[in-house]
Amino acid sequence: MKLFLSGGLFALSWVAGLFFLRYWKKSQDRFFAFFAGAFWLIALQRLLLLDPGTRFVAYCVRLLAFVVILFAIFDKNRAPRR
């Protein structure tokens, strides 16, 4: 059951990244590109959690994903308004 749920979370994170990539292609706003990358990192983290030997790396990848999200928000609010 755990493997099934982990696979589902991987797939949903990957699809969310694809949606953000599509929005980035339409708007050329790098906020969406950062979010696409962050969701793909979260998907990668789900894969890494399947192997108990890579838990530390998995949580580092998760931390990196959240840092990317925070940077995207900061970058969006720092940019001059059009």
Side-chain angles (χ1 to χ4, degrees):
M1 186 67 178
K2 184 178 177 182
L3 188 62
F4 175 76
L5 290 175
S6 188
L9 288 173
F10 166 79
L12 291 174
S13 298
W14 190 261
V15 169
L18 288 176
F19 273 109
F20 280 114
L21 183 68
R22 187 175 73 178
Y23 294 138
W24 172 70
K25 282 187 173 182
K26 282 184 179 178
S27 68
Q28 292 297 316
D29 189 355
R30 60 184 183 180
F31 175 79
F32 295 119
F34 284 131
F35 264 68
F39 273 94
W40 288 335
L41 283 173
I42 290 172
L44 175 66
Q45 183 257 339
R46 296 308 311 177
L47 282 181
L48 290 173
L49 278 178
L50 295 177
D51 183 16
T54 60
R55 283 191 180 263
F56 178 73
V57 176
Y59 287 115
C60 288
V61 169
R62 181 189 283 183
L63 177 66
L64 180 64
F66 286 118
V67 168
V68 169
I69 289 172
L70 288 175
F71 180 76
I73 293 169
F74 173 75
D75 186 59
K76 182 69 175 180
N77 289 321
R78 188 179 56 96
R81 300 197 187 270
R82 291 183 228 165

